[in-house]
């Protein structure tokens, strides 16, 4: 199946996001013969730099330079893409907060199939594109097929595809006039940066991370005691912050902090990709979870199937004795 | 403000060991604990708080089978005035677009100023809100973690990478998908559930909704699940076994060896 394949390039401060080369590799694994086109939207010198950078890996770059696109507002980008993309296009987006915002509505407006949060491709048969996804917070995987005869919008999970190495010498095509006069019923105001917390977990080498499996707020003292005995710092998954049991600065994950510890003790954390997305630098991960099927055991080096409330006091006591 | 909140009944993945059944045709459904999708609970709470400030009413709508009623009642007990169930065998096997098409028909039964969905549900698609907005031709924002009403517009916050917040103004009527942590969903006690026990919840099928049967369900789905499977992944973790004491002792040795005791 011949197809027009497009990849939306996320960028900030004149640099393409890491996702750019992952999308390229996803596009190539999908349609080895296709020459994917990078879509670069924004404004000013930063955009030019990104277009040049991306042209070192994509054969073609469409650049849209408009003041209105200075901040990536999906409500502006969607109608623009609907206008410029050829019928039947395959559009690949990162499964990021921008991709999630843009993708579903884009597929509707293009009349295309929507395949979200794809972690792998399983080939194309006729008009059926087969992909691999995860469901139930990563506990099981699924093969999903989409009828792409009218095109497709695919969002790709970060880290699922190894970045392609820059190879092509691409041309940058200025498409800015196409993006003139855009307006939307949602207007960007500003970005409020996340507040810094009282501890900087990004600098810690030994982290004790607690998740929803701790059950009750009162049980957090078991985690505090263990961390104290180890001389480690406590961090957490998102539900602990949502419940206001710990401050936001201690949250590890895509919508929290990115940490690079040497040792990471994951206690009652299922291992959602948004959580693991905040763990970098291949730490030694020890996971404790009562569910032997928890996806965290795929990421961890060492696992224990246990109830935290039973294990933690014993572990703390033995560590205290061992020193 | 008239607000519609879309809620889904899902297996609670924090409470269940999910396993593949019948050679991949489904997950094993016996003994599964079901609950309202986590994100939808925050959406209902947000709707109720908006109505408490601005006036109006909240309607909760769910597409599913008859078991969905318990979830709708639970969410009504939080303070939603009305509930609505969309039930029809012809809806089975709908893809995201099919679900959005059915919800659109329900949304058009009344003029809602604001429609809320959860950011995502059990299959992690995060698609229905955005599709519904596109079908209704309304502005949309996903992953919303703040809503402030300013007359005909809302000042909204979207959660973006790293936990920063993107502020925008969005025109009403609109569709928002709600992110967890935007509020603290209120506790629902037995008394609350009893209070709404006798409220009638209309059940609408495809005919009552006026949806074209050919546009929804398995046959119309562009996107279909072929099977469930357990991926053949790498080695996975080394699992420690033994009594609590034995496991703890192994962990102490390991942490020592790896430099985990500062
Ligand atoms: C856009 C977006 C951004 C997100 N960003 C983040 C992020 O930055 N960080 C983040 O963490 N999440 C994030 N999430 C949420 C993420 O998808 C998961 O919902 C979350 O990580 C789950 O946290 P958890 O593992 O603590 O809870 P759960 O998934 O509920 O897991 C709890 C685990 O504890 C186990 N357990 C239960 N009881 C016990 C016991 N007594 N003893 C031992 N184990 C027990 C259970 O088996 C289960 O595996 C984000 C989601 C979205 C949509
Ligand atoms: N069957 C359903 N009934 C009502 N709302 C639904 C249904 N499926 C999805 N939704 C809504 O769409 C949101 C996102 O779900 P999804 O796109 O499936 O990840 C959910 O949080 C619900 O608000």
């Amino acid at each position: 199946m011949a197809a027009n394949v497009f990849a939306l390039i996320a960028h900030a401060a004149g640099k393409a996001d890491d996702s750019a080369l992952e999308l390229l590799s996803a596009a190539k694994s999908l349609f080895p013969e296709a020459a994917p086109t990078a879509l670069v939207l924004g404004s000013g010198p930063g955009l030019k730099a990104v277009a040049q950078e991306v042209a070192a890996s994509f054969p073609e770059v469409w650049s849209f330079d408009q003041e209105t696109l200075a901040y990536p507002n999906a409500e502006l980008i969607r109608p623009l893409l609907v206008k410029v993309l050829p019928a039947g296009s395959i559009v690949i987006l990162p499964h990021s907060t921008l991709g999630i915002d843009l993708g579903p509505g884009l597929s509707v407006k293009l009349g295309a199939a929507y395949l979200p949060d794809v972690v792998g491709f399983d080939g194309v048969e006729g008009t059926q594109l087969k992909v691999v996804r995860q469901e139930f917070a990563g506990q099981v995987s699924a093969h999903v097929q989409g009828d792409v005869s009218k095109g497709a919008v695919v969002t790709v999970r970060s880290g699922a595809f190894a970045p392609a190495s820059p190879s092509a010498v691409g041309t940058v095509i200025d498409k800015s006039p196409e993006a003139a006069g855009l307006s939307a019923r949602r207007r960007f105001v500003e970005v409020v940066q996340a507040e810094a917390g009282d501890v900087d977990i990004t600098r810690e080498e030994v982290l004790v991370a607690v998740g929803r499996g701790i059950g009750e707020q009162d049980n957090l003292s078991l985690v505090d005691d263990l961390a104290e005995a180890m001389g480690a710092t406590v961090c957490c998954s998102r539900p602990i912050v949502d419940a206001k049991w710990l401050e936001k600065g201690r949250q590890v994950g895509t919508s929290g902090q990115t940490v690079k510890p040497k040792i990471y003790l994951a206690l009652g954390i299922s291992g959602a990709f948004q959580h693991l997305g905040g763990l970098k630098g291949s730490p030694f991960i020890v996971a404790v979870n009562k569910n032997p099927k928890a996806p965290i055991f795929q990421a961890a080096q060492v696992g224990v199937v246990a109830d935290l409330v039973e294990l933690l006091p014993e572990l703390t006591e033995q560590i205290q004795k061992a020193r | 403000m008239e607000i519609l909140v879309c809620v889904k009944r899902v297996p609670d993945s924090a409470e269940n060991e999910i396993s593949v059944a019948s050679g991949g045709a489904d997950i094993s459904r016996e003994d599964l604990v079901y609950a309202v999708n986590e994100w939808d609970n925050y959406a209902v709470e947000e709707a109720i708080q908006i109505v408490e400030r601005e006036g109006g009413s909240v309607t909760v709508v769910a597409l599913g089978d008859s078991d969905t009623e318990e979830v709708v009642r639970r969410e009504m007990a939080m303070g939603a005035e009305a509930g609505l169930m969309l039930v029809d065998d012809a809806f089975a096997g709908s893809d995201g677009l099919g679900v959005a098409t059915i919800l659109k028909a329900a949304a058009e039964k009344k003029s809602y100023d604001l429609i809320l969905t959860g950011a995502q549900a059990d299959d992690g698609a995060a698609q229905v809100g955005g599709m519904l907005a596109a079908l209704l031709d309304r502005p949309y924002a996903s992953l919303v973690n703040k809503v402030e009403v300013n007359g005909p517009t809302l000042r909204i916050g979207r959660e973006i990478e790293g936990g920063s917040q993107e502020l925008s103004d969005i025109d009403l009527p609109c569709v928002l998908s709600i992110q967890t942590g935007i509020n603290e969903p209120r506790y629902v006690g037995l008394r609350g559930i009893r209070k709404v026990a006798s409220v009638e919840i209309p059940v609408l099928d495809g005919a009552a909704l006026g949806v074209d049967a050919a546009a929804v369900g398995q046959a119309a789905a562009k996107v279909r699940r072929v099977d469930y499977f357990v991926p053949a992944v790498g080695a996975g973790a080394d699992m420690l076994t033994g009594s609590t004491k034995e496991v703890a002792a192994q962990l102490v040795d390991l942490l020592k060896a790896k430099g985990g005791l500062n």
Side-chain angles (χ1 to χ4, degrees):
Chain A
M1 191 179 137
N4 290 307
V5 182
F6 294 87
L8 182 81
I9 308 302
H11 58 92
K15 293 278 302 162
D17 188 68
D18 287 348
S19 61
L21 292 175
E22 295 180 19
L23 295 192
L24 178 60
S25 125
K28 284 183 168 165
S29 89
L30 234 189
F31 298 106
E33 288 90 63
T37 300
L39 301 168
V40 179
L41 294 72
S43 120
L47 182 78
K48 290 217 164 51
V50 173
Q52 287 308 328
E53 179 189 349
V54 174
S57 37
F58 282 80
E60 194 165 299
V61 180
W62 288 7
S63 165
F64 300 84
D65 187 342
Q66 287 289 351
E67 189 64 37
T68 44
L69 295 172
Y71 187 85
N73 176 353
E75 292 290 296
L76 288 170
I77 297 172
R78 195 179 304 111
L80 171 62
L81 296 186
V82 171
K83 182 172 134 193
V84 301
L85 294 178
S89 294
I90 309 283
V91 190
I92 306 182
L93 313 172
H95 191 72
S96 61
T97 62
L98 175 60
I100 288 171
D101 212 33
L102 173 64
L106 180 64
S107 74
V108 170
K109 297 292 185 189
L110 291 173
Y114 188 56
L115 295 160
D117 191 22
V118 166
V119 299
F121 289 118
D122 209 23
V124 184
E125 262 170 49
T127 62
Q128 298 294 323
L129 170 59
K130 289 175 83 180
V131 304
V132 178
R133 303 189 65 252
Q134 292 184 341
E135 298 192 12
F136 303 107
Q139 286 197 60
V140 291
S141 294
H143 291 109
V144 171
Q145 63 181 36
D147 177 349
V148 299
S149 52
K150 300 260 162 52
V153 176
V154 179
T155 70
V156 169
R157 181 178 296 183
S158 162
F161 292 87
S165 39
S167 57
V169 184
T171 16
V172 178
I173 301 174
D174 181 24
K175 296 258 184 183
S176 306
E178 303 251 31
L182 290 174
S183 74
R185 290 170 290 175
R186 182 179 117 201
R187 296 160 297 276
F188 171 69
V189 178
E190 63 173 328
V191 168
V192 183
Q193 296 300 331
E195 291 166 35
D198 61 357
V199 280
D200 184 0
I201 59 171
T202 65
R203 293 162 175 273
E204 298 295 331
E205 299 211 320
V206 185
L207 287 171
V208 174
V210 55
R212 179 151 41 202
I214 197 64
E216 293 169 28
Q217 185 168 17
D218 285 350
N219 293 342
L220 279 182
S221 63
L222 304 177
V223 178
D224 286 335
D225 292 348
L226 172 64
E228 196 186 318
M230 290 172 62
T233 301
V234 174
C235 62
C236 63
S237 66
R238 178 173 182 122
I240 302 295
V241 173
D242 286 343
K244 310 235 163 17
W245 294 353
L246 289 174
E247 48 154 30
K248 181 85 180 165
R250 291 192 191 247
Q251 179 188 321
V252 173
T254 55
S255 60
Q257 304 292 321
T258 300
V259 296
K260 307 173 277 307
K262 285 201 177 119
I263 297 187
Y264 194 76
L265 213 55
L267 307 175
I269 291 178
S270 61
F273 79 92
Q274 293 102 341
H275 183 77
L276 298 176
L279 257 183
K280 297 283 178 258
S282 324
F284 186 78
I285 303 176
V286 178
V288 182
N289 198 299
K290 71 170 184 189
N291 177 359
K293 296 224 173 69
I296 189 75
F297 290 130
Q298 301 306 331
Q301 278 70 40
V302 171
V304 179
V305 176
D307 187 330
L308 291 174
V309 180
E310 279 170 27
L311 180 67
L312 293 188
E314 176 66 29
L315 181 58
T316 302
E317 199 187 311
Q318 289 200 23
I319 288 174
Q320 283 162 345
K321 280 192 191 139
R323 355 191 86 214
Chain B
M1 182 98 58
E2 294 304 312
I3 309 179
L4 181 68
V5 189
C6 306
V7 305
K8 185 179 181 190
R9 176 176 180 266
V10 300
D12 182 345
S13 61
E15 285 298 320
N16 293 298
E17 284 178 31
I18 311 274
S19 55
V20 176
S22 339
D26 197 5
I27 57 165
S28 164
R29 301 267 168 189
E30 295 131 49
D31 307 324
L32 277 189
V33 181
Y34 284 82
V36 67
N37 176 38
E38 182 180 3
W39 281 266
D40 302 349
N41 212 29
Y42 288 87
V44 172
E45 176 65 35
E46 194 61 22
I48 291 167
Q49 290 190 15
I50 293 170
V51 163
E52 282 170 356
R53 291 197 304 268
E54 312 285 331
S57 78
V58 179
T59 302
V60 173
V61 62
L63 161 64
D65 58 21
S66 54
D67 290 339
T68 305
E69 183 177 337
E70 62 174 323
V71 161
V72 174
R73 275 207 201 279
R74 188 202 173 278
E75 298 306 286
M76 287 172 69
M78 291 172 74
E81 196 166 282
L84 198 56
M85 283 170 59
L86 316 177
V87 184
D88 194 322
D89 290 343
F91 297 164
S94 293
D95 61 4
L97 181 61
V99 171
T101 301
I102 298 160
L103 289 172
K104 171 185 185 249
E108 284 175 334
K109 289 269 160 198
K110 193 171 156 183
S111 87
Y112 295 102
D113 307 292
L114 179 60
I115 300 175
L116 302 182
T117 72
Q120 64 175 32
D122 50 344
D123 49 9
Q127 63 189 358
V128 167
M131 290 177 168
L132 180 58
L135 291 172
L136 289 165
D137 206 17
R138 291 187 177 191
Y140 174 64
S142 63
L143 300 165
V144 169
N145 65 1
K146 168 201 166 100
V147 181
E148 196 184 281
V149 182
N150 295 323
T153 67
L154 305 177
R155 169 66 54 93
I156 52 150
R158 288 186 65 235
E159 184 185 84
I160 54 173
E161 276 73 18
S164 296
Q165 189 183 46
E166 171 195 303
L167 295 178
S168 303
D169 289 325
I170 188 166
D171 295 343
L172 290 166
C174 65
V175 180
L176 307 177
S177 91
I178 300 294
Q179 175 63 308
T180 60
I182 182 174
N183 53 41
E184 291 176 74
R186 65 197 65 193
Y187 175 75
V188 180
L190 269 180
R191 249 182 76 210
I193 306 240
R194 247 183 265 129
K195 254 167 88 184
V196 297
S198 59
V199 181
E200 202 199 323
I201 301 176
V203 180
L204 305 183
D205 61 9
L209 286 166
V211 292
D212 176 5
V216 300
Q218 175 83 38
K222 277 182 195 261
V223 178
R224 295 176 200 197
R225 188 185 307 101
V226 181
D227 63 2
Y228 286 109
F229 68 102
V230 178
V233 282
D238 251 332
M239 303 304 284
L240 305 183
T241 53
S243 67
T244 303
K245 271 200 161 48
E246 288 162 2
V247 166
Q250 294 175 66
L251 283 174
V252 174
D253 290 345
L254 203 76
L255 289 172
K256 250 192 200 160
K258 294 283 175 186
L261 302 183
N262 284 329

